[in-house]
Amino acid sequence: MASTAPTKQWADGPCKLIVTPQYETKKTDLFTTGATHMALLHNSILRGFNTVYLQAPHVQDADKDAFIGYSQTWFRFVKSHHDDEEENLFPKVQDLLGGDEGLWKETLDEHESFIAGLTEFNTYLSALPSPSEFSSTELIRIMDSFKDNFENHFHREISHIAAFADHPKAPVPDTPEHAEAALTFKTWGKKTVSKAGVLDVVPFFLLNLDRTYEEGTWANWPPMPAPIKWGLTNIAGSWYGSWWKFSSCDSQGQPQELYALRSVKSEL
């Protein structure tokens, strides 16, 4: 599908995108780097939230089924990310930092602050008798109920992880412990999206990554051979191909006019 550069509201609001710690501080330590990669993943999720929120009121009847599929993929992305953090990443990082039991308390509290609203989001879409019954007013009401807590958490978790660089038990560079910690972040980051769903969550993730973000610093992130990235976007993504027209970026990672807003008058 041909794409056009955004001229109206794009997917950088209402939830604000995260400035990556590495771009902001120019630090390259283990935890700044890990937090930066997490921020890039979070920004894909935040763009996803924004694309659903902004386009919901303008979806035409013929596109409601595809929009519901797109929206539920966003839910699966967030839920899988949330669960994988709690089950895998958090315990491993806690062990690396000497078993600090209070390490994630604030983060876990933040998770609880939006999980009920997130669940209601999916319950509403799953219970619709038919796509024609979809109400953007109801969906946005639900999203508004957890939007502030959701945005707050996705930002605060990044600064929280970056601050681990100053933890007294932080691994020292050029030690086995440091290498193990680096491998932990790398391995988790590589698996966390693909395990959520190659045919739906992976294309969603890739089509909400902006290669121009922060002056194109992350144009080649995540690191993978171009043919594989192309295949995940265009071949795996073709399974639910009608859903991805609602994404914030095209298959080249360029920001595009939000599909449901293309026919909306510019003053809206």
Side-chain angles (χ1 to χ4, degrees):
M1 179 182 295
S3 64
T4 56
T7 60
K8 307 182 182 73
Q9 169 70 60
W10 187 62
D12 46 0
C15 287
K16 294 180 181 178
L17 300 179
I18 303 162
V19 177
T20 65
Q22 206 166 321
Y23 183 82
E24 184 174 35
T25 68
K26 311 308 178 189
K27 294 181 180 178
T28 57
D29 64 83
L30 167 68
F31 289 107
T32 298
T33 300
T36 292
H37 295 166
M38 181 76 83
L40 294 169
L41 190 153
H42 278 195
N43 277 342
S44 179
I45 291 174
L46 291 170
R47 291 187 193 99
F49 180 103
N50 294 338
T51 56
V52 173
Y53 190 95
L54 293 171
Q55 293 182 91
H58 307 289
V59 174
Q60 301 299 308
D61 287 345
D63 291 322
K64 285 184 176 179
D65 187 45
F67 184 72
I68 291 167
Y70 178 84
S71 301
Q72 289 188 292
T73 302
W74 176 80
F75 165 80
R76 286 191 292 275
F77 188 4
V78 178
K79 186 65 166 60
S80 177
H81 173 69
H82 164 281
D83 291 347
D84 199 31
E85 283 183 328
E86 292 194 1
E87 294 168 9
N88 294 298
L89 182 65
F90 291 176
K92 289 177 181 177
V93 173
Q94 182 173 315
D95 288 344
L96 288 167
L97 294 177
D100 185 344
E101 294 185 2
L103 198 67
W104 297 110
K105 183 183 183 307
E106 182 178 327
T107 301
L108 293 171
D109 288 345
E110 290 168 10
H111 277 189
E112 289 302 311
S113 74
F114 67 80
I115 196 66
L118 184 69
T119 301
E120 185 182 5
F121 174 95
N122 185 57
T123 299
Y124 168 69
L125 293 175
S126 300
L128 288 170
S130 70
S132 63
E133 299 295 317
F134 170 75
S135 165
S136 62
T137 302
E138 178 62 9
L139 188 69
I140 290 176
R141 180 197 68 76
I142 295 169
M143 296 178 80
D144 277 336
S145 75
F146 67 89
K147 177 170 66 68
D148 290 347
N149 287 339
F150 184 82
E151 178 183 4
N152 174 67
H153 163 69
F154 272 68
H155 282 253
R156 285 179 63 87
E157 186 174 82
I158 302 307
S159 57
H160 188 58
I161 292 173
F164 291 162
D166 297 323
H167 192 282
K169 296 290 183 67
V172 177
D174 301 319
T175 63
E177 292 77 15
H178 188 275
E180 179 185 356
L183 183 62
T184 294
F185 275 109
K186 183 178 180 180
T187 302
W188 182 84
K190 190 174 182 179
K191 291 182 177 179
T192 188
V193 177
S194 60
K195 72 189 294 184
V198 172
L199 299 179
D200 54 0
V201 172
V202 170
F204 186 104
F205 165 63
L206 293 173
L207 289 165
N208 283 292
L209 281 179
D210 174 10
R211 293 184 63 190
T212 72
Y213 190 62
E214 294 182 338
E215 302 175 289
T217 302
W218 315 110
N220 296 315
W221 189 90
M224 66 174 70
I228 292 178
K229 183 180 289 187
W230 186 93
L232 289 170
T233 305
N234 295 282
I235 298 177
S238 67
W239 190 264
Y240 298 111
S242 65
W243 298 0
W244 314 132
K245 57 178 170 277
F246 298 106
S247 63
S248 61
C249 299
D250 63 20
S251 61
Q252 303 303 311
Q254 299 294 309
Q256 65 178 357
E257 196 87 80
L258 298 184
Y259 175 79
L261 300 184
R262 293 178 190 178
S263 61
V264 177
K265 291 182 180 179
S266 59
E267 62 266 22
L268 296 179

